[in-house]
């Protein structure tokens, strides 16, 4: 029987309660697919600051190193927002994990499930046009990590600076990830850049073109980031895979997530070249609704499915979870934010949704 | 009688035909408000490349230097897209003009006019929530112009880099522009940054806070760029003035423009500390519809109104044009793109819209 070990980092806010449902689903997967998914919980984020004095304690990092994958909840909240930037949960834990494990390949799918179109902030005809985008974001380079970064000078001429930087190798590996994904989808990559202004973007475009030659069955387009934010609103159905640098991917993936109107359904994967990865919901820790049992666990559960698929190659199990989620949505077992305001009294709780998915499985 | 001189740079695509209507309106302003608006036309963009060999001929630059303001049409098109980047119309003309005249303060209003809500790609309830945003974008610094920029290294480790850079002085002057604008509007500035990642953004935030102290009647909020692109879709009515760096303003202003669904109505102003400015429509040169007399001249006409207001202090004339535009929209004299597809046969031509605005004036 195959065995895998998973570092479970539930984190803050709604993290622990949605993670509980993902664990239920993984328990069911163990039985149904005859695998062992050993899970060990580690403190992270604000919770780890409160209990261990830092957002990413060394035992957590060590636990992640020993695991086959990290299942991540969400971190941060107003309580830790006044800390110096470098100590805050998002940076001290999330950015550190990304860079420590070289998780360069970030996949952020955004789709509108049939029947949930009215949640989208977009006009009905656009929301119903068949929206299913995969944002492939480079996650360990670009202006997030480029050196030098700093402050210099004095008085009014004091200035701050950041460096946007990409090597051919860094661009090539994320471009390959995008083309590989497009081959399994609708065969189209749209590369997002600002090549009319940025030297980095010109190299980005060059390498995207080079990689495209190895994928004759995939079509490659280029779009400027400013135009991308417009087209996502006007005609999102035109996009299949959007290939983005770290900063542009941050922007594009969030706009795509919001366009669906159902952030609580969106998972994400952040992987390195060895297939090790961190899997987390697209939404945040939502401290305002934490602890009430009303948070949607689906993004966390779909993140677990991505983990099974990409880090453990358990495609059948991943398919089964994804189908069970669709069945649950179709059965109308929905948390409140997916319901019109006059139907919120019929909302399912966090654990009822988890139970239904297990049942459908 | 007061006299002003205007450098008229109509450019490519629909530029010349919409400029003709702006000229009609300025002729009417001369009579009604007893001013002289001397206009001299100069070649720019692709047209200047074809006729003079470069996108910004020296006689054009000289003409601009001698004028009180530049009224700009639009430039670029597929014909010139294969030129080396540095020679293309957008960079060789537009970016050069911005930096030559230190046009650091870029105002890009985006509003949905009553009655035109159905053009918005947003859901009806959102489109009708009262959308009227002013994006104040820094236009002469940041990653557009920051040095160093270049390419280094060899093989797969060859890398490209750009520098995002802001001084306190640069941030302060654009922040002041945003607060001044907010005082005349609804008293709220939302500063857009990525302070959880960028050193430049932290300085941006610091200076925005400092400037805010001088405007106790204006409220200041901060929002991350990724969240901004979401909120613009979900709840754009929350925004009054959005204060942005060059790159973030490029993105945010385009998303805001698209959100209105009526790009052909949106003007923009780019000004320096002396009140000299370049005024241009938010949309592009639209080569696909050029020369057919169907382009909407309103963005160009409202750009002329901004010019009268900001570079000539002719507020009455600017008010009058803006009122005449609203009256024209209310009278239903609309170009085709503002009409539902089954009513396009009733569309007014470019010159009919111009004539109606003159009449309303
Ligand atoms: C928390 C923040 C640093 C992070 C990012 O910008 O990458 C977040 O916005 C994300 O997209 O995962
Ligand atoms: C043409 C391009 C260089 C320009 C910019 O990025 O500033 C345009 O997108 C704009 O917003 O005016």
């Amino acid at each position: 029987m195959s065995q895998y070990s998973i570092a479970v980092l539930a984190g803050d806010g709604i993290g622990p309660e949605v993670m509980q449902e993902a664990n239920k689903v993984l328990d069911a997967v163990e039985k149904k697919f005859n695998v062992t998914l050993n899970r060990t919980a580690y403190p992270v984020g604000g919770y780890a600051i409160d209990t261990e004095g830092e957002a990413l304690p060394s035992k957590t990092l060590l636990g992640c190193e020993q695991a086959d994958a990290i299942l991540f909840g969400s971190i941060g909240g107003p309580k830790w927002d006044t800390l110096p930037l470098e100590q805050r949960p998002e940076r001290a834990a999330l950015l550190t994990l990304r860079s420590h494990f070289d998780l360069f390949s970030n996949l952020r799918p955004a789709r509108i499930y049939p029947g949930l179109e009215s949640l989208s902030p977009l006009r009905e005809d656009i929301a119903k046009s068949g929206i299913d985008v995969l944002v492939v974001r480079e996650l360990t380079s670009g202006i997030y990590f480029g050196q030098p970064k700093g402050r210099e000078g004095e008085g009014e001429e004091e200035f701050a600076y950041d460096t946007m930087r990409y090597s051919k190798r860094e661009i090539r590996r994320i471009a390959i990830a995008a083309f590989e994904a497009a081959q399994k989808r609708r065969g189209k990559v749209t590369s997002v850049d600002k090549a009319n202004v940025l030297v980095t973007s010109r190299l980005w475009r060059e390498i995207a073109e080079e990689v495209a030659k190895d994928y004759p069955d995939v079509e490659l387009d280029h779009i400027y980031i400013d135009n991308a934010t417009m087209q996502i609103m006007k005609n999102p159905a035109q996009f299949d895979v959007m290939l983005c640098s770290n900063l542009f991917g941050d922007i594009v993936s969030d706009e795509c997530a919001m366009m669906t109107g159902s952030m609580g359904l969106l998972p994400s994967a952040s992987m390195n070249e060895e297939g090790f990865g961190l899997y987390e919901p697209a939404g945040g820790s939502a401290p305002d609704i934490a602890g009430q049992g009303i948070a949607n666990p689906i993004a966390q559960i779909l993140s677990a499915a991505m983990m099974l698929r990409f880090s453990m190659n358990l495609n059948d199990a991943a398919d089964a979870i994804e189908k069970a989620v669709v069945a649950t949505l179709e059965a109308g077992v929905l948390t409140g934010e997916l319901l019109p305001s006059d139907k919120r009294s019929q909302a399912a709780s966090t654990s009822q949704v988890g139970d239904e998915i297990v049942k459908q499985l």
Side-chain angles (χ1 to χ4, degrees), chain A:
Chain A
M1 189 163 80
S2 28
Q3 287 220 12
Y4 299 93
S5 78
I6 303 166
V8 177
L9 279 56
D12 306 317
I14 60 170
E17 55 201 285
V18 295
M19 191 62 86
Q20 198 172 328
E21 304 311 310
N23 269 320
K24 270 188 202 165
V25 173
L26 291 175
D27 290 343
V29 164
E30 285 189 311
K31 289 195 200 104
K32 194 174 150 104
F33 292 90
N34 197 28
V35 289
T36 305
L37 302 168
N38 290 319
R39 280 153 276 163
T40 317
Y42 296 98
V44 75
Y47 173 78
I49 294 175
D50 292 351
T51 55
E52 320 266 328
E54 48 179 336
L56 188 67
S58 52
K59 69 173 175 198
T60 300
L61 195 58
L62 198 70
C64 292
E65 281 173 355
Q66 287 161 351
D68 295 304
I70 305 168
L71 189 59
F72 197 89
S74 53
I75 53 177
K79 186 171 173 195
W80 307 282
D81 269 356
T82 46
L83 286 174
L85 201 68
E86 301 303 324
Q87 292 167 32
R88 275 191 232 165
E90 296 88 342
R91 288 192 47 110
L94 205 53
L95 293 193
T96 307
L97 284 169
R98 288 176 187 170
S99 115
H100 182 82
F101 290 105
D102 194 25
L103 305 174
F104 73 97
S105 175
N106 183 210
L107 308 186
R108 303 194 173 194
R111 55 185 283 207
I112 298 191
Y113 287 90
L116 296 181
E117 292 89 353
S118 65
L119 297 170
S120 169
L122 297 179
R123 222 168 52 204
E124 194 183 350
D125 58 315
I126 303 175
K128 287 202 163 144
S129 61
I131 295 178
D132 183 358
V133 184
L134 176 67
V135 178
V136 176
R137 171 186 176 194
E138 199 291 324
L139 204 59
T140 51
S141 182
I143 202 164
Y144 276 62
F145 297 96
Q147 290 298 334
K149 236 182 211 304
R151 257 167 101 149
E152 270 174 42
E154 274 181 24
E156 278 301 280
E157 295 311 320
E158 181 179 352
F159 63 96
Y161 53 99
D162 296 274
T163 303
M164 185 179 275
R165 199 195 122 121
Y166 271 108
S167 73
K168 285 188 171 177
R169 185 180 57 79
E170 288 168 336
I171 301 171
R172 196 178 310 279
R173 65 180 185 172
I174 191 69
I176 290 172
F179 279 91
E180 293 286 334
Q183 267 186 335
K184 296 188 200 117
R185 293 172 47 100
R186 303 193 304 281
K188 186 171 165 194
V189 170
T190 307
S191 173
V192 178
D193 66 35
K194 186 76 194 177
N196 49 357
V197 172
L198 304 177
V199 182
T200 337
S201 285
R202 274 178 256 170
L203 186 60
W204 186 273
R205 225 171 238 230
E206 238 177 82
I207 303 299
E209 293 286 350
E210 272 181 39
V211 171
K213 294 203 184 100
D214 296 332
Y215 298 85
D217 50 335
V218 177
E219 183 194 339
L220 171 65
D221 277 343
H222 304 278
I223 191 171
Y224 294 137
I225 176 69
D226 45 332
N227 191 21
T229 62
M230 297 204 283
Q231 296 303 323
I232 289 168
M233 232 184 219
K234 191 183 172 190
N235 179 14
Q238 74 187 281
F239 297 117
D240 178 17
V241 172
M242 299 185 84
L243 166 61
C244 305
S245 64
N246 206 343
L247 180 64
F248 294 164
D250 179 45
I251 295 168
V252 164
S253 66
D254 265 1
E255 193 185 351
C256 286
M258 178 52 81
M259 150 193 96
T260 69
S262 46
M263 194 90 84
L265 300 179
L266 305 179
S268 80
S270 307
M271 295 169 296
N272 66 20
E273 287 179 345
E274 286 76 45
F276 180 84
L278 179 155
Y279 301 85
E280 58 171 331
S285 62
D288 49 319
I289 61 159
Q292 301 174 36
I294 59 172
N296 194 331
I298 291 184
Q300 188 72 62
I301 290 167
L302 289 175
S303 298
M306 287 185 105
M307 172 187 77
L308 298 176
R309 187 184 303 288
F310 294 119
S311 285
M312 294 154 198
N313 215 8
L314 297 170
N315 289 307
D316 291 348
D319 287 346
I321 295 176
E322 287 166 4
K323 269 196 201 132
V325 164
V326 171
T328 299
L329 293 173
E330 279 170 6
V333 181
L334 306 171
T335 43
E337 93 286 0
L338 299 179
L339 291 165
S341 38
D342 58 327
K343 293 204 175 133
R344 294 263 155 92
S345 57
Q346 297 154 38
S349 68
T350 305
S351 69
Q352 282 169 337
V353 172
D355 291 342
E356 179 69 22
I357 292 171
V358 168
K359 199 183 105 192
Q360 296 284 356
L361 206 73

